Amino acid sequence: MVSIRVLVLAAVAAAGRAAGMFDGDSAVRQLTPTNFDLVLERTSQPTFVKFYAPWCGHCQTLEPEYERAATRTHGVAKFYAVNCDVESNRGLCARYNVQGFPTLKVFTEKRTKRGSRRAVDYQGARKASAMAKYARSMLPSLSTKLSADGLDTFVTGTQLPKAVLLTERSKPGDLWRGVAAHFDRKVQLAHIVNPDSATLERLGVDKLPAIVVFPEHTDPSVAELYTGESKYLPLAKFIHATAIARKPVRQSKAQTNPVALDVQQIETQADLERVCISPAGSSPVPILCVIGVIALEPEFEESRAEHAQVVTVLESVLSGQRLRSPHAPTQPNSNSDDYDEVEGDSSADDTSEPSPPLRVAWVNALSAAGQQVRTMFGLSDDLPTAVAVSPRKHAAAPYHGAFTRADMLDWADQCYEGRGMRRIAGELIISGKQEAGHDEL
């Protein structure tokens, strides 16, 4: 490990050689404070994070080995990197007590009481084979071993959807363990060794190994048989589509006025008018429009998966919002800085039902509309990000923080009360593509 205190001249000389570290088609993704917690929270696969500086010679030597380790463990472990030379990342590097470069941390499936993953220092050899071996050794066993008789009890045991491997092997291999770690806390996985013929016939299985997904915890008879390749990406995609994507989002029983769980995409000015501006003009309560800015490249599996995860967070923000009385005032705020208090008079005898004040949408950061939204509101280049817009007051506030439900709900409440909101310079106009519907290539 090399000390952080290095000669400035050496740093400048090396920076040009390594400016493209982990760019392009790399199997290693870059993390920032905006996406770090979101990315780590959504999986329990062993996760390597390399804290580095582009000018560091040891970092440059490690790069190809780290890249190969990431490729070799695809579906079993995750490999990421944090550039500590970037000003906005330095707080993240300090958070993990990075004293020199490169520093390798491995995040395990174990979690703190607050749900964040625990990290250990990687002290092994800086070779692809050693890092890959270590990652596989850290892969947790999250698949439950079942008897055929216990299948129905397992399926109905919790509200999570289920996926079950039927196999002749005494223990599931790394592929299944990697899938189980990937879907930890979202889908429960199990395996049955040498299932009897009655179970196979019931599930429509004629050869082993076989994988069956049970999307409904209330009905074990509803099952989907996987018929694809024994490879991570198609299998994970099938489980996601079958068990998660079509699963209804449950609303809180406390909501007397259910909120439509619909996070819509903004591509044109007409979309912006329909989703944000028009509802604000007709609603009995002031409307706050939360727009998530996400980089979606639909041709890439990883990008589609990340997009789906962010939209899930936005959906949870929409479903978890605090409903508002049409006559309930917001708290005054002396620091609102040219942002007027939200209108409304207090009424002791108000009997009207509370209303949903949030509209939630997303825009592709790589599209013309997305680029205009980022410019209009001065949003960071770190993605995903978001902005809260009050069309009625012509004000907005960018989001700074982890892309999690709790943090974003707190932020939305603060914005609704006027905190952090600033007047928008100019009109709320985007000139994105105007023609009706199109298919993504």
Side-chain angles (χ1 to χ4, degrees), residues 259-283 285-292 314 318 321 356-363 373 387 389-392 428 430:
V259 180
L261 299 180
D262 188 11
V263 176
Q264 302 181 52
Q265 183 178 6
I266 293 177
E267 296 181 277
T268 67
Q269 179 65 22
D271 295 334
L272 184 63
E273 294 275 352
R274 173 176 49 80
V275 176
C276 295
I277 299 176
S278 295
S282 59
S283 173
V285 297
I287 290 295
L288 192 69
C289 188
V290 173
I291 304 174
L314 294 175
L318 187 60
Q321 63 177 294
L358 296 187
R359 298 296 182 270
V360 182
W362 71 276
V363 64
V373 166
V387 61
V389 182
S390 172
R392 184 179 295 184
L428 285 173
I430 60 173

Side-chain angles (χ1 to χ4, degrees), residues 202-265:
R202 167 192 161 185
L203 299 175
V205 175
D206 55 15
K207 64 178 181 178
L208 299 179
I211 294 167
V212 182
V213 176
F214 298 87
E216 301 293 339
H217 75 278
T218 57
D219 190 354
S221 67
V222 178
E224 299 279 352
L225 179 64
Y226 176 65
T227 58
E229 298 177 278
S230 294
K231 293 183 178 180
Y232 175 75
L233 278 181
L235 175 55
K237 184 176 180 180
F238 174 81
I239 293 176
H240 177 84
T242 306
I244 297 178
R246 77 179 191 181
K247 186 178 70 171
V249 179
R250 294 175 176 81
Q251 297 183 47
S252 168
K253 292 182 180 179
Q255 292 183 359
T256 57
N257 187 4
V259 180
L261 299 180
D262 188 11
V263 176
Q264 302 181 52
Q265 183 178 6

Side-chain angles (χ1 to χ4, degrees), residues 77-158:
K78 305 287 187 184
F79 280 72
Y80 297 102
V82 175
N83 183 353
C84 295
D85 220 27
V86 175
E87 180 68 33
S88 59
N89 291 348
R90 289 178 182 171
L92 183 58
C93 299
R95 171 178 161 189
Y96 288 99
N97 196 31
V98 175
Q99 300 293 326
F101 303 130
T103 291
L104 294 181
K105 301 277 186 181
V106 181
F107 291 80
T108 72
E109 86 283 4
K110 295 184 174 68
R111 298 178 186 259
T112 66
K113 291 182 179 180
R114 299 184 64 182
S116 58
R117 295 175 63 191
R118 296 186 184 276
V120 297
D121 290 314
Y122 175 72
Q123 304 288 4
R126 304 296 177 91
K127 296 294 183 182
S129 57
M131 289 184 285
K133 183 178 180 179
Y134 183 83
R136 291 181 184 277
S137 74
M138 297 292 286
L139 185 62
S141 297
L142 299 177
S143 178
T144 302
K145 186 176 182 179
L146 298 177
S147 65
D149 292 341
L151 179 59
D152 286 358
T153 301
F154 171 73
V155 172
T156 59
T158 69

